[in-house]
mmCIF file of all heavy atoms in Angstrom:
data_model
loop_
_atom_site.group_PDB
_atom_site.id
_atom_site.type_symbol
_atom_site.label_atom_id
_atom_site.label_comp_id
_atom_site.label_asym_id
_atom_site.label_seq_id
_atom_site.Cartn_x
_atom_site.Cartn_y
_atom_site.Cartn_z
ATOM 1 N N ALA A 287 0.812 -1.157 0.072
ATOM 2 C CA ALA A 287 -0.051 -0.013 0.026
ATOM 3 C C ALA A 287 0.836 1.274 -0.016
ATOM 4 O O ALA A 287 0.576 2.176 -0.715
ATOM 5 C CB ALA A 287 -1.021 -0.017 1.221
ATOM 6 N N ALA A 288 1.930 1.312 0.878
ATOM 7 C CA ALA A 288 2.800 2.418 0.906
ATOM 8 C C ALA A 288 3.606 2.606 -0.496
ATOM 9 O O ALA A 288 3.614 3.717 -1.024
ATOM 10 C CB ALA A 288 3.827 2.274 2.008
ATOM 11 N N ALA A 289 3.892 1.487 -1.046
ATOM 12 C CA ALA A 289 4.578 1.576 -2.403
ATOM 13 C C ALA A 289 3.686 2.139 -3.419
ATOM 14 O O ALA A 289 4.036 3.005 -4.236
ATOM 15 C CB ALA A 289 5.188 0.188 -2.753
ATOM 16 N N SER A 290 2.381 1.701 -3.503
ATOM 17 C CA SER A 290 1.394 2.248 -4.357
ATOM 18 C C SER A 290 1.144 3.706 -4.209
ATOM 19 O O SER A 290 1.103 4.553 -5.051
ATOM 20 C CB SER A 290 0.173 1.429 -4.287
ATOM 21 O OG SER A 290 -0.576 1.734 -3.217
ATOM 22 N N PHE A 291 1.108 4.080 -2.959
ATOM 23 C CA PHE A 291 1.001 5.588 -2.564
ATOM 24 C C PHE A 291 2.124 6.396 -3.105
ATOM 25 O O PHE A 291 1.919 7.448 -3.680
ATOM 26 C CB PHE A 291 0.746 5.732 -1.083
ATOM 27 C CG PHE A 291 0.436 7.060 -0.628
ATOM 28 C CD1 PHE A 291 -0.898 7.610 -0.817
ATOM 29 C CD2 PHE A 291 1.250 7.981 -0.178
ATOM 30 C CE1 PHE A 291 -1.274 8.774 -0.435
ATOM 31 C CE2 PHE A 291 0.948 9.198 0.278
ATOM 32 C CZ PHE A 291 -0.369 9.629 0.048
ATOM 33 N N VAL A 292 3.299 5.985 -2.842
ATOM 34 C CA VAL A 292 4.508 6.730 -3.231
ATOM 35 C C VAL A 292 4.614 6.734 -4.822
ATOM 36 O O VAL A 292 4.879 7.737 -5.408
ATOM 37 C CB VAL A 292 5.757 6.066 -2.675
ATOM 38 C CG1 VAL A 292 7.054 6.614 -3.310
ATOM 39 C CG2 VAL A 292 5.779 6.341 -1.221
ATOM 40 N N LEU A 293 4.245 5.603 -5.475
ATOM 41 C CA LEU A 293 4.214 5.607 -6.886
ATOM 42 C C LEU A 293 3.264 6.482 -7.430
ATOM 43 O O LEU A 293 3.567 7.221 -8.453
ATOM 44 C CB LEU A 293 3.918 4.148 -7.353
ATOM 45 C CG LEU A 293 4.612 3.725 -8.652
ATOM 46 C CD1 LEU A 293 6.047 3.473 -8.490
ATOM 47 C CD2 LEU A 293 3.923 2.544 -9.313
ATOM 48 N N GLY A 294 2.071 6.617 -6.828
ATOM 49 C CA GLY A 294 1.015 7.638 -7.238
ATOM 50 C C GLY A 294 1.466 8.977 -7.082
ATOM 51 O O GLY A 294 1.239 9.834 -8.061
ATOM 52 N N GLN A 295 2.321 9.337 -6.031
ATOM 53 C CA GLN A 295 2.801 10.692 -5.854
ATOM 54 C C GLN A 295 3.809 11.020 -6.936
ATOM 55 O O GLN A 295 3.843 12.105 -7.437
ATOM 56 C CB GLN A 295 3.460 10.814 -4.484
ATOM 57 C CG GLN A 295 2.430 10.570 -3.355
ATOM 58 C CD GLN A 295 1.380 11.711 -3.195
ATOM 59 O OE1 GLN A 295 1.749 12.907 -3.551
ATOM 60 N NE2 GLN A 295 0.198 11.416 -2.962
ATOM 61 N N LEU A 296 4.617 10.025 -7.354
ATOM 62 C CA LEU A 296 5.536 10.307 -8.346
ATOM 63 C C LEU A 296 4.914 10.474 -9.709
ATOM 64 O O LEU A 296 5.367 11.412 -10.508
ATOM 65 C CB LEU A 296 6.529 9.087 -8.491
ATOM 66 C CG LEU A 296 7.525 8.880 -7.316
ATOM 67 C CD1 LEU A 296 8.269 7.716 -7.310
ATOM 68 C CD2 LEU A 296 8.432 10.200 -7.205
ATOM 69 N N VAL A 297 3.903 9.711 -9.967
ATOM 70 C CA VAL A 297 3.086 9.970 -11.265
ATOM 71 C C VAL A 297 2.509 11.358 -11.373
ATOM 72 O O VAL A 297 2.544 12.061 -12.365
ATOM 73 C CB VAL A 297 1.991 8.838 -11.425
ATOM 74 C CG1 VAL A 297 1.037 9.190 -12.485
ATOM 75 C CG2 VAL A 297 2.678 7.496 -11.589
ATOM 76 N N TYR A 298 1.897 11.773 -10.172
ATOM 77 C CA TYR A 298 1.372 13.087 -10.083
ATOM 78 C C TYR A 298 2.394 14.135 -10.338
ATOM 79 O O TYR A 298 2.188 15.224 -11.018
ATOM 80 C CB TYR A 298 0.632 13.305 -8.772
ATOM 81 C CG TYR A 298 0.046 14.590 -8.531
ATOM 82 C CD1 TYR A 298 -1.203 14.855 -9.204
ATOM 83 C CD2 TYR A 298 0.457 15.511 -7.764
ATOM 84 C CE1 TYR A 298 -1.874 16.071 -9.144
ATOM 85 C CE2 TYR A 298 -0.249 16.843 -7.691
ATOM 86 C CZ TYR A 298 -1.338 17.033 -8.275
ATOM 87 O OH TYR A 298 -1.906 18.145 -8.221
ATOM 88 N N LEU A 299 3.647 13.993 -9.708
ATOM 89 C CA LEU A 299 4.746 15.018 -9.889
ATOM 90 C C LEU A 299 5.117 15.077 -11.318
ATOM 91 O O LEU A 299 5.262 16.136 -11.827
ATOM 92 C CB LEU A 299 5.895 14.480 -9.025
ATOM 93 C CG LEU A 299 7.125 15.359 -9.133
ATOM 94 C CD1 LEU A 299 6.860 16.695 -8.568
ATOM 95 C CD2 LEU A 299 8.299 14.762 -8.331
ATOM 96 N N VAL A 300 5.214 13.917 -12.008
ATOM 97 C CA VAL A 300 5.537 13.936 -13.425
ATOM 98 C C VAL A 300 4.415 14.559 -14.241
ATOM 99 O O VAL A 300 4.713 15.453 -15.250
ATOM 100 C CB VAL A 300 5.777 12.445 -13.939
ATOM 101 C CG1 VAL A 300 5.895 12.437 -15.532
ATOM 102 C CG2 VAL A 300 7.115 11.982 -13.345
ATOM 103 N N TRP A 301 3.246 14.393 -13.915
ATOM 104 C CA TRP A 301 2.092 14.967 -14.559
ATOM 105 C C TRP A 301 2.212 16.552 -14.462
ATOM 106 O O TRP A 301 2.051 17.311 -15.398
ATOM 107 C CB TRP A 301 0.801 14.434 -14.088
ATOM 108 C CG TRP A 301 -0.525 15.091 -14.594
ATOM 109 C CD1 TRP A 301 -1.185 16.035 -14.184
ATOM 110 C CD2 TRP A 301 -1.032 14.969 -15.906
ATOM 111 N NE1 TRP A 301 -2.196 16.474 -14.874
ATOM 112 C CE2 TRP A 301 -1.972 15.746 -16.047
ATOM 113 C CE3 TRP A 301 -0.753 13.998 -16.934
ATOM 114 C CZ2 TRP A 301 -2.923 15.738 -17.203
ATOM 115 C CZ3 TRP A 301 -1.514 14.046 -18.151
ATOM 116 C CH2 TRP A 301 -2.627 14.980 -18.199
ATOM 117 N N VAL A 302 2.299 16.993 -13.228
ATOM 118 C CA VAL A 302 2.441 18.392 -13.046
ATOM 119 C C VAL A 302 3.576 19.072 -13.684
ATOM 120 O O VAL A 302 3.431 20.165 -14.337
ATOM 121 C CB VAL A 302 2.501 18.746 -11.494
ATOM 122 C CG1 VAL A 302 2.850 20.239 -11.138
ATOM 123 C CG2 VAL A 302 1.172 18.351 -10.744
ATOM 124 N N ALA A 303 4.748 18.451 -13.726
ATOM 125 C CA ALA A 303 5.829 18.870 -14.467
ATOM 126 C C ALA A 303 5.675 18.979 -16.003
ATOM 127 O O ALA A 303 6.009 19.903 -16.630
ATOM 128 C CB ALA A 303 7.153 18.012 -14.161
ATOM 129 N N ALA A 304 5.025 17.957 -16.548
ATOM 130 C CA ALA A 304 4.662 17.965 -17.972
ATOM 131 C C ALA A 304 3.653 19.067 -18.224
ATOM 132 O O ALA A 304 3.856 19.678 -19.330
ATOM 133 C CB ALA A 304 4.183 16.578 -18.429
ATOM 134 N N MET A 305 2.717 19.343 -17.427
ATOM 135 C CA MET A 305 1.718 20.460 -17.659
ATOM 136 C C MET A 305 2.391 21.708 -17.580
ATOM 137 O O MET A 305 2.039 22.628 -18.385
ATOM 138 C CB MET A 305 0.527 20.305 -16.622
ATOM 139 C CG MET A 305 -0.247 19.036 -16.882
ATOM 140 S SD MET A 305 -1.012 18.889 -18.473
ATOM 141 C CE MET A 305 -2.302 20.012 -18.225
ATOM 142 N N ALA A 306 3.371 21.897 -16.631
ATOM 143 C CA ALA A 306 4.007 23.134 -16.511
ATOM 144 C C ALA A 306 4.967 23.381 -17.831
ATOM 145 O O ALA A 306 4.911 24.555 -18.281
ATOM 146 C CB ALA A 306 4.847 23.197 -15.312
ATOM 147 N N MET A 307 5.600 22.444 -18.249
ATOM 148 C CA MET A 307 6.368 22.503 -19.402
ATOM 149 C C MET A 307 5.593 22.766 -20.650
ATOM 150 O O MET A 307 5.859 23.651 -21.578
ATOM 151 C CB MET A 307 7.208 21.342 -19.696
ATOM 152 C CG MET A 307 8.481 21.140 -18.634
ATOM 153 S SD MET A 307 9.480 19.702 -18.776
ATOM 154 C CE MET A 307 9.164 19.019 -20.378
ATOM 155 N N ALA A 308 4.474 22.176 -20.817
ATOM 156 C CA ALA A 308 3.565 22.470 -21.932
ATOM 157 C C ALA A 308 3.029 23.940 -21.883
ATOM 158 O O ALA A 308 3.002 24.528 -23.021
ATOM 159 C CB ALA A 308 2.397 21.470 -21.963
ATOM 160 N N GLU A 309 2.582 24.346 -20.734
ATOM 161 C CA GLU A 309 2.203 25.771 -20.571
ATOM 162 C C GLU A 309 3.324 26.705 -20.942
ATOM 163 O O GLU A 309 3.133 27.734 -21.645
ATOM 164 C CB GLU A 309 1.647 25.896 -19.167
ATOM 165 C CG GLU A 309 1.199 27.412 -18.965
ATOM 166 C CD GLU A 309 -0.012 27.709 -19.918
ATOM 167 O OE1 GLU A 309 -0.769 26.929 -20.280
ATOM 168 O OE2 GLU A 309 -0.100 28.962 -20.252
ATOM 169 N N ALA A 310 4.523 26.451 -20.409
ATOM 170 C CA ALA A 310 5.570 27.367 -20.838
ATOM 171 C C ALA A 310 5.912 27.327 -22.224
ATOM 172 O O ALA A 310 6.065 28.405 -22.897
ATOM 173 C CB ALA A 310 6.889 26.870 -20.060
ATOM 174 N N ARG A 311 5.842 26.176 -22.954
ATOM 175 C CA ARG A 311 5.974 26.119 -24.398
ATOM 176 C C ARG A 311 4.837 26.858 -25.083
ATOM 177 O O ARG A 311 5.175 27.662 -26.088
ATOM 178 C CB ARG A 311 5.995 24.720 -24.782
ATOM 179 C CG ARG A 311 6.362 24.516 -26.175
ATOM 180 C CD ARG A 311 6.669 23.006 -26.606
ATOM 181 N NE ARG A 311 5.867 21.980 -25.947
ATOM 182 C CZ ARG A 311 6.279 21.213 -24.921
ATOM 183 N NH1 ARG A 311 7.688 21.194 -24.754
ATOM 184 N NH2 ARG A 311 5.612 20.287 -24.359
ATOM 185 N N ARG A 312 3.637 26.849 -24.721
ATOM 186 C CA ARG A 312 2.579 27.528 -25.295
ATOM 187 C C ARG A 312 2.810 28.963 -25.125
ATOM 188 O O ARG A 312 2.488 29.807 -25.921
ATOM 189 C CB ARG A 312 1.225 27.039 -24.666
ATOM 190 C CG ARG A 312 0.541 25.856 -25.440
ATOM 191 C CD ARG A 312 -0.933 25.869 -24.967
ATOM 192 N NE ARG A 312 -1.049 25.663 -23.544
ATOM 193 C CZ ARG A 312 -1.046 24.370 -22.979
ATOM 194 N NH1 ARG A 312 -0.870 23.377 -23.608
ATOM 195 N NH2 ARG A 312 -1.253 24.355 -21.670
ATOM 196 N N SER A 313 3.099 29.422 -23.904
ATOM 197 C CA SER A 313 3.320 30.805 -23.638
ATOM 198 C C SER A 313 4.413 31.335 -24.458
ATOM 199 O O SER A 313 4.324 32.483 -24.940
ATOM 200 C CB SER A 313 3.682 30.965 -22.224
ATOM 201 O OG SER A 313 3.944 32.312 -21.842
ATOM 202 N N LYS A 314 5.521 30.588 -24.645
ATOM 203 C CA LYS A 314 6.710 31.069 -25.472
ATOM 204 C C LYS A 314 6.162 31.219 -26.900
ATOM 205 O O LYS A 314 6.665 32.092 -27.638
ATOM 206 C CB LYS A 314 7.828 30.043 -25.297
ATOM 207 C CG LYS A 314 9.155 30.511 -25.868
ATOM 208 C CD LYS A 314 10.177 29.508 -25.574
ATOM 209 C CE LYS A 314 11.528 30.020 -26.177
ATOM 210 N NZ LYS A 314 12.648 29.152 -25.901
ATOM 211 N N GLN A 315 5.422 30.311 -27.441
ATOM 212 C CA GLN A 315 4.941 30.336 -28.787
ATOM 213 C C GLN A 315 4.081 31.531 -29.101
ATOM 214 O O GLN A 315 4.017 32.171 -30.248
ATOM 215 C CB GLN A 315 4.289 29.185 -29.236
ATOM 216 C CG GLN A 315 5.179 27.879 -29.412
ATOM 217 C CD GLN A 315 4.522 26.625 -29.642
ATOM 218 O OE1 GLN A 315 3.265 26.545 -29.563
ATOM 219 N NE2 GLN A 315 5.265 25.519 -30.042
ATOM 220 N N ARG A 316 3.178 31.861 -28.084
ATOM 221 C CA ARG A 316 2.310 33.047 -28.261
ATOM 222 C C ARG A 316 3.098 34.433 -28.212
ATOM 223 O O ARG A 316 2.643 35.326 -28.830
ATOM 224 C CB ARG A 316 1.190 33.048 -27.144
ATOM 225 C CG ARG A 316 0.185 32.037 -27.359
ATOM 226 C CD ARG A 316 -0.949 32.262 -26.361
ATOM 227 N NE ARG A 316 -0.342 32.147 -25.032
ATOM 228 C CZ ARG A 316 -0.887 31.577 -24.023
ATOM 229 N NH1 ARG A 316 -2.069 31.100 -24.195
ATOM 230 N NH2 ARG A 316 -0.272 31.537 -22.852
ATOM 231 N N GLY A 317 4.124 34.471 -27.510
ATOM 232 C CA GLY A 317 4.861 35.698 -27.399
ATOM 233 C C GLY A 317 4.423 36.448 -26.256
ATOM 234 O O GLY A 317 3.340 36.315 -25.645
#
């Protein structure tokens, strides 16, 4: 259970980082 919880947190961290990078890329393209 603890391993699944930690794995879920890592997946969430990767998701947030990917969303932040995508937003930065969109922002850079718009100017």
